[in-house]
Structures are given as structure tokens and as C-alpha cells.
Amino acid sequence: MKKRGILLLAVSIGLMLTACTDSPKTTDIPSGSAAGDTVQNETRDTEKLPASQEYISSDGSYKVILFEGLTQTDMPLQAGSSMMGLDGASERAGFSGVALGSPKSNIPGNPDDVESLEDYADYITDMILNGSGVTVDWQDTDAPSAEGTEQCLAREGVARSGATSGQAYGYYAESADSYFSVVIMGNNGDIDEARQILALEILAGTPIQRGTKDFINGMTAILDSVNGANIRETYKMLEDMDTDESQLELLSSQARQSLSDSWGVENASDLMETADWLMNEGHNQDALAFLGEYGGTNETDRASFDAKLQDQNLDDGTYISLLAAYDAWSAYGDGALAAWDLSRVGTVMGFGYASGYCTYEEAMDKMLEAAQKSQELFESWEDFNKSYLYGYSYWAEESLDDSESSSAERAELVSSMESQANGPFSVDWNMELKKEW
């Protein structure tokens, strides 16, 4: 079986940060007045505090308190992680920030070296500044606690962009299963004022309204996490932000190369043919035919089929793939491992959109078809995810029981996402799917 390559998407979110300008205004800030300090200091003159406002993440998992009137831009990089940009626009020119909340298992960019809050802070600030032209010499500072967190960390520094400079401040928090961050930059006066009112609050378990796009994003959530982002929504976000054409072309060229190398897709026609193949045949039909060759579809007892395979001296990969196909067929009949194919309709169409082979609407329309077929074949997210994992095991020739395998890693990722209160699989499986774009 041919292995399909996966593009590790390098996401630059530094685009939300404007160059810093130096203002002559400075203010001495009392120690301990930074993010998360929701208790008012009795000696503070509250009448002089700047007006504040709550900004709630799109998934309802956290909120940030900052200046009133900022422009909030939700950035749906991938299901399960919620990022937003907070921009001062003309009211506070040069002030901007990025807030992010994500499970520890689903950090955008899929870093493999984040094992502590300090690692997370290093990673997030590096990712935010990547490509922005801004550099910051970070220094640790006092970090007041935030309710619901196990540990908090704060950093400050001088932000420089060319000949201009300003201030930067970052606040990072860790709960039992998630990381949160707020990074702000601007002139000295704005950052000094922002630190007086900035607060982060975790809203665990807050219910949110979910729609068809959320359902579709749930179908691609696992591979999006592995890739580090949902390329469809990332590219759409960058387009809507009027990102520099050279940066869009870089992402497009990566997407085209991935489609060519992994799928043999070179144009719009190839893209639609591949999506239709995944919808109607895919590896599911290959697996059922392969299983039939070895008599698996005539067996009703797994142990007997397993014994039959072991008598044939098969190589390990073939043996594992046949058992995965058998388990999928036993559980879901002709649907078997179709979820593995249907989930990748979304990925292929997302890469196709970024490549310029289809429009955003065309990509979403095809994904809606895949989502509706998924509802026909499976009764729940649990069933869909099991079929997906059987499909991955079949394709990768790796047992889900092998704790050292990438199959086991995906199974662990699925389990983690299924446990998230507002995660990608909290969407109602039986919801009415309809076009909303």
C-alpha cells in the first residue's frame, strides 16, 4: 500500500502584530498588577483605570479582559484550539495582541518539545513573532494567579521593529489539560495601561452553539492537529486579512507540492476526481477487496481469522492491515474504514483551495457531501473515530495495540479530543447539516 505523505504546516500568526511605535508617555506600574489579577487593589484609584471589555474566545473556553473597543478577529487555525487577534485600530494605533487557548494535546503547529509552561511560552512567542519583523528581549516578571489554573507565567520586554520600539507583555497559564496565552504589544503608554486591567479567565464547560462548519472541522480534526493547523481555514483567514501575496503564494506552493507528491493531483480536475474517489471508493473498497481475498468476509470469529492468517506466514504489515480491515468490517459492514477516506476529503479539498484549484465555496460544498455521507454510515462520533483509526491502522500497517506506533499516538489524540468539553467532537452528530457559507 502506498503511504500518503503529510505536510507539516508552518503557521505564521505574527501577521496580527503591527510594528511598535515609541510613545513618550510612560507609567510606573505597581508590582503584581498584571494579567489574572481580578481582585482590585484597595489603594488603586479605579476612576483612572482605562475602560475595559470582555473578549470571549470563539469556542467559549476562555475570556480576556482588555481595553474597550478593540477589534476581535477569531482565527480558526484548527478544531479544538481557539485563537483571537485583538487590534487597537485607529483608537490605539500600534496596539495589538494575540490570545490562544488549546488543549496540551492540540497546540497549533504541533510542537514536539513542549513539556512545561515555560516551553509553551517560548514556543508561542516565537511563533507569534515569526515573520512579523518584531524582536523582543523577554524577561520573566511577576505573574498573578488566575482562577482554575495550576501555574502562571509572565514575561515583559522591549519590542523592536527597525528603528522603532515599544513594549511587549506576555501572560501564560496552565490548567490540568490546557495551555492559555495572551501576548500584547504597543507603545509604552498603552502597554502600561493594558497591564492594569488585563485578565484571563478560563470558562471551562461553557456551552457554545455549533454549526455545520464545526461538524466538518471535527471530521478533519485529527489530521489538522498532526499537521499543526487546518490549512483551509488558515488560508481563508490570511486572505481575509489581505496578507501579502508573497506569503500566500508560499503557502499555496506548499499545498500544491503536497497534493502532487502525495496524491498525484496537478489541477482542478485531478482534485475533484480524487475527492470523488475518496467519497465513493477509497481505501475502504481496497480494504474490503483485500479482506475478501483472504476469506475474511466469510469469517464470523476474529480468533479463527487471526489463526488462519498466522498459518500463512504473512509479513507483519500485511497481517496488521488484514486484521484492521477485519475489525472495521465486523463493526461497520460495508462502511468499514470509510471514515478514514471521508475525513481526508476535507484535507484534500482544503489543500486544493489553498492551491488555487477550487474556491472556498467549492471546497466546503464537497466537504458537506462527505459529512452527510458520514452521518449515513455511522451513528456517532465514537463510531466515526473508530472507523478512522481502523483505516489509519490499515493504511499505515501499524497495530493500534502497539504503544510505540503512530497508530497508537492517533488513538491517544482521539481519546484526548473526545474528552474535551467544547472539543471538536462535542458537536451534535445528528445535527441537520446544511450550507452556511
Side-chain angles (χ1 to χ4, degrees), residues 410-429:
R410 295 224 177 181
E412 185 177 350
L413 188 56
V414 166
S415 178
S416 174
M417 288 187 176
E418 286 180 336
S419 68
Q420 297 165 18
N422 282 328
F425 308 130
S426 63
V427 183
D428 179 9
W429 178 263

Side-chain angles (χ1 to χ4, degrees), residues 76-237:
L77 296 180
Q78 64 190 54
S81 296
S82 185
M83 181 179 293
M84 58 180 169
L86 298 170
D87 186 45
S90 59
E91 295 297 317
R92 290 184 181 270
F95 178 88
S96 60
V98 173
L100 171 64
S102 65
K104 294 177 180 178
S105 61
N106 197 31
I107 303 171
N110 191 28
D112 57 7
D113 56 353
V114 173
E115 299 180 355
S116 66
L117 184 60
E118 290 77 9
D119 291 342
Y120 173 78
D122 290 341
Y123 171 75
I124 288 299
T125 50
D126 285 347
M127 187 170 68
I128 290 174
L129 295 179
N130 180 29
S132 69
V134 179
T135 60
V136 181
D137 181 18
W138 294 103
Q139 302 292 328
D140 289 345
T141 187
D142 291 340
S145 61
E147 186 175 354
T149 64
E150 296 183 345
Q151 184 181 1
C152 299
L153 174 70
R155 292 175 176 175
E156 60 186 355
V158 176
R160 293 184 173 86
S161 178
T164 61
S165 64
Q167 283 188 351
Y169 180 79
Y171 183 76
Y172 314 90
E174 175 181 5
S175 67
D177 58 5
S178 300
Y179 288 122
F180 301 88
S181 59
V182 183
V183 180
I184 57 175
M185 295 189 184
N187 64 53
N188 296 343
D190 282 344
I191 298 303
D192 287 344
E193 288 189 337
R195 289 179 59 174
Q196 297 180 60
I197 58 173
L198 175 59
L200 170 70
E201 183 177 340
I202 299 174
L203 305 174
T206 303
I208 58 175
Q209 189 66 35
R210 300 285 190 159
T212 299
K213 185 182 289 188
D214 295 302
F215 188 101
I216 289 171
N217 289 343
M219 292 175 61
T220 64
I222 302 304
L223 188 54
D224 288 344
S225 179
V226 173
N227 283 347
N230 179 315
I231 191 171
R232 181 192 76 248
E233 292 303 323
T234 299
Y235 193 84
K236 180 69 162 59
M237 176 191 71

Side-chain angles (χ1 to χ4, degrees), residues 255-274 355-357:
R256 287 192 293 269
Q257 190 66 48
S258 181
L259 285 177
S260 177
D261 293 346
S262 300
W263 295 93
V265 170
E266 304 290 347
N267 51 48
S269 177
D270 290 345
L271 176 70
M272 290 304 178
E273 287 180 7
T274 299
S355 298
Y357 297 154

Side-chain angles (χ1 to χ4, degrees), residues 396-417:
E397 300 181 343
E398 293 181 353
S399 172
L400 293 167
D401 296 327
D402 179 2
S403 61
E404 301 299 320
S405 70
S406 61
S407 291
E409 290 178 359
R410 295 224 177 181
E412 185 177 350
L413 188 56
V414 166
S415 178
S416 174
M417 288 187 176

Side-chain angles (χ1 to χ4, degrees), residues 288-307:
L288 291 175
F290 192 40
L291 185 63
E293 291 177 14
Y294 285 83
T297 52
N298 297 321
E299 290 285 350
T300 57
D301 180 74
R302 188 183 193 275
S304 297
F305 182 58
D306 188 357

